[in-house]
């Protein structure tokens, strides 16, 4: 028993010695530099990913589907084959139309020859009539022959044009027997199967242009005047992905129940996981960027009657009461209590005592300086809770 008591006493003594030694060392903390930033007041609105171009591609001609080389989810490029119709009959129609052109052109050749012959005969008759050496009846006959030949020639010429138009129609049907993708897209739906008869105008597949997806958000009408064309807006998807947006259009409609107007935004830096119908949170700037002093939210400790921070004062933790304003991106606007360049503790401040020695690490600017940033209050922009 004496041996056990001795070991226990030794362990307790060593543990207490470690605690005393630790209390004598400076507290390890992480700090950041308080800076002024250009910030714009924002309002949070919710939007939705919408399609800018979705097409139900239809067959232009009727026929039986010989092949449908695509499935839902396939990526297709402009010009890729979506469906191939049987072309056997269409090829025969093209050959027949070309034969009809040859027949019509041969008839035109005969009609031209007849017209030329009757024209010469009429010219001779006109010369003889001028000399009064041809009876009137014979002259009238020559005139009538010419008129008939002219009509035949015009009719033959029209047959050629009709045959050429028929060939164009046959070639159109043959060329469009191959249904192609009109743009780069992903296949959302396939509505045709091999061997199925497709009527002209029937849907073959539904395509979605992923590069043309946009965000539509209903913005309160009172903030519309602050929006500008091509204005940059930051947004996040419901999965946490960041989206860069650019204002494209403010639609001239208003919802009376909510007093909001639909606004369309082009996605400039897309998240690969976005999908039509997905919810997006946007921070809409409603004022011009202003220069404000910002303290990181993690530096704030709740104190009696307000908020305070610990400032690194030559290696000692100096408490300082601060007055904060609007919540900004990752921090709060400072109304009083701090100055630009102050080094505040953002990690390890919960257990600090006034005047305690500290060993700062990671002193750095809270964010890039000199560039406007979209800001706004968020659900998690709450200062950390600490000791009074």
């Amino acid at each position: 028993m004496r041996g056990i008591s001795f070991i226990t006493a030794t362990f307790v003594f060593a543990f207490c010695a470690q605690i005393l030694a630790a209390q004598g060392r400076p507290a390890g903390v992480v700090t950041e530099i308080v800076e002024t930033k250009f910030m714009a007041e924002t309002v949070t609105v919710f939007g939705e990913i919408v399609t800018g171009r979705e097409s139900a591609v239809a067959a232009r001609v009727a026929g039986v589907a010989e092949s449908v080389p695509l499935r839902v989810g396939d990526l297709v490029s402009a010009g890729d084959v979506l469906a191939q119709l049987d072309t056997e009959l269409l090829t025969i129609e093209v050959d027949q139309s070309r034969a009809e052109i040859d027949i019509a052109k041969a008839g035109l050749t005969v009609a031209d020859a007849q017209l030329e012959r009757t024209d010469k005969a009429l010219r001779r008759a006109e010369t003889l009539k001028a000399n009064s050496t041809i009876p009137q009846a014979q002259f009238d006959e020559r005139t009538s022959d010419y008129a008939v030949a002219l009509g035949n020639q015009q009719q033959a010429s029209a047959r050629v044009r009709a045959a050429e138009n028929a060939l164009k129609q046959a070639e159109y049907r043959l060329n469009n027997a191959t249904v192609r993708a009109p743009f780069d897209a992903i296949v959302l739906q396939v509505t045709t199967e091999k061997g199925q008869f497709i009527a002209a105008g029937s849907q073959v597949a539904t395509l979605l242009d992923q590069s043309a997806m946009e965000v539509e958000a209903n913005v309160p009408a009172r903030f519309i005047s602050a929006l500008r064309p091509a204005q940059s807006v930051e947004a996040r998807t419901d999965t946490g992905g960041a989206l860069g947006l650019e204002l494209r259009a403010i639609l001239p409609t208003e919802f009376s129940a909510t007093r909001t107007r639909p606004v369309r935004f082009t996605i400039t830096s897309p998240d690969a996981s976005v999908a039509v119908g997905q919810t997006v949170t946007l921070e809409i700037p409603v004022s011009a960027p202003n220069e404000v002093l910002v303290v990181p939210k993690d530096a704030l400790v709740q104190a009696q009657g307000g908020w305070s921070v610990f400032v690194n004062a030559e290696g000692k933790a100096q408490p300082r009461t601060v007055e904060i304003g609007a919540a900004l991106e990752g921090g709060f606007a400072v109304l009083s209590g701090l100055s630009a360049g102050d080094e505040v503790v953002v990690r390890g401040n919960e257990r600090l005592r006034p005047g305690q020695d500290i060993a700062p690490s990671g002193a750095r600017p809270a964010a890039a300086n000199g560039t406007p940033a979209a800001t706004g209050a968020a659900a998690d922009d709450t200062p950390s809770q600490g000791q009074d």
Side-chain angles (χ1 to χ4, degrees):
M1 294 294 293
R2 290 180 179 177
I4 295 175
S5 299
F6 177 77
I7 294 173
T8 302
T10 302
F11 176 78
V12 171
F13 176 79
F15 181 72
C16 292
Q18 289 178 357
I19 293 177
L20 292 174
Q23 289 178 343
R25 293 199 302 266
V29 296
V30 178
T31 59
E32 288 187 5
I33 303 298
V34 176
E35 290 189 326
T36 56
K37 305 176 188 177
F38 285 95
M39 296 288 186
E41 183 182 358
T42 65
V43 61
T44 301
V45 299
F46 295 99
E48 181 181 355
I49 303 290
V50 296
T51 174
R53 182 163 59 173
E54 181 178 333
S55 175
V57 182
R60 297 187 180 185
V61 298
V64 176
E66 190 174 73
S67 64
V68 184
L70 75 159
R71 295 179 298 174
V72 172
D74 285 351
L75 295 175
V76 296
S77 300
D80 284 354
V81 176
L82 303 181
Q84 177 62 60
L85 306 186
D86 180 73
T87 60
E88 184 177 359
L89 179 59
L90 299 176
T91 303
I92 294 173
E93 290 177 351
V94 169
D95 292 339
Q96 178 64 31
S97 297
R98 289 172 178 163
E100 293 292 340
I101 290 178
D102 292 339
I103 294 172
K105 287 183 176 180
L108 179 59
T109 301
V110 173
D112 286 340
Q114 292 177 342
L115 180 62
E116 183 178 3
R117 186 178 65 253
T118 56
D119 179 65
K120 291 180 179 179
L122 179 59
R123 297 297 172 263
R124 289 195 300 270
E126 288 176 341
T127 302
L128 294 174
K129 186 173 184 285
N131 297 328
S132 301
T133 58
I134 186 175
Q136 182 64 38
Q138 189 176 358
F139 177 78
D140 293 342
E141 183 179 356
R142 297 291 183 271
T143 303
S144 178
D145 291 344
Y146 175 79
V148 171
L150 179 61
N152 290 337
Q153 191 271 346
Q154 292 173 342
Q155 190 177 48
S157 180
R159 288 196 186 98
V160 171
R161 292 195 299 271
E164 289 173 343
N165 288 334
L167 175 61
K168 290 180 181 178
Q169 293 178 11
E171 290 177 336
Y172 172 86
R173 290 190 292 270
L174 179 60
N175 293 335
N176 285 283
T178 304
V179 183
R180 300 184 182 276
F183 49 81
D184 296 349
I186 185 171
V187 179
L188 294 184
Q189 185 181 19
V190 180
T191 54
T192 299
E193 297 293 339
K194 181 178 179 180
Q196 179 180 343
F197 177 78
I198 303 175
S202 296
Q203 182 178 341
V204 173
T206 301
L207 305 182
L208 172 66
D209 185 353
Q210 292 178 289
S211 66
M213 288 195 291
E214 296 182 325
V215 171
E216 181 173 308
N218 293 328
V219 178
R222 65 183 182 276
F223 298 132
I224 291 296
S225 60
L227 301 180
R228 298 291 181 268
Q231 186 174 17
S232 296
V233 173
E234 296 298 323
R236 288 195 172 273
T237 65
D238 52 3
T239 59
L243 286 180
L245 306 179
E246 185 177 279
L247 192 150
R248 184 179 66 81
I250 300 172
L251 305 185
T253 57
E254 184 170 324
F255 302 107
S256 58
T258 58
R259 296 186 181 277
T260 58
R261 297 184 185 180
V263 180
R264 284 290 185 103
F265 298 87
T266 301
I267 301 176
T268 57
S269 58
D271 184 323
S273 63
V274 296
V276 174
Q278 188 173 7
T279 302
V280 177
T281 304
L282 298 83
E283 299 297 335
I284 305 294
V286 294
S287 68
N290 295 312
E291 190 175 25
V292 295
L293 188 66
V294 180
V295 61
K297 66 177 182 178
D298 292 334
L300 295 170
V301 179
Q302 193 170 25
Q304 187 174 4
W307 298 96
S308 67
V309 300
F310 281 101
V311 177
N312 178 17
E314 298 182 352
K316 294 186 179 294
Q318 181 187 77
R320 191 175 298 178
T321 301
V322 295
E323 182 181 1
I324 61 175
L328 303 173
E329 184 178 1
F332 288 81
V334 178
L335 303 181
S336 65
L338 290 173
S339 301
D342 285 342
E343 184 180 349
V344 295
V345 179
V346 295
R347 292 288 184 274
N349 50 0
E350 299 88 353
R351 296 179 298 276
L352 287 180
R353 300 186 308 275
Q356 182 178 355
D357 291 336
I358 57 176
S361 64
R364 60 189 185 278
N369 193 22
T371 55
T375 63
D380 62 346
D381 283 338
T382 304
S384 59
Q385 301 295 320
Q387 298 176 349
D388 293 346

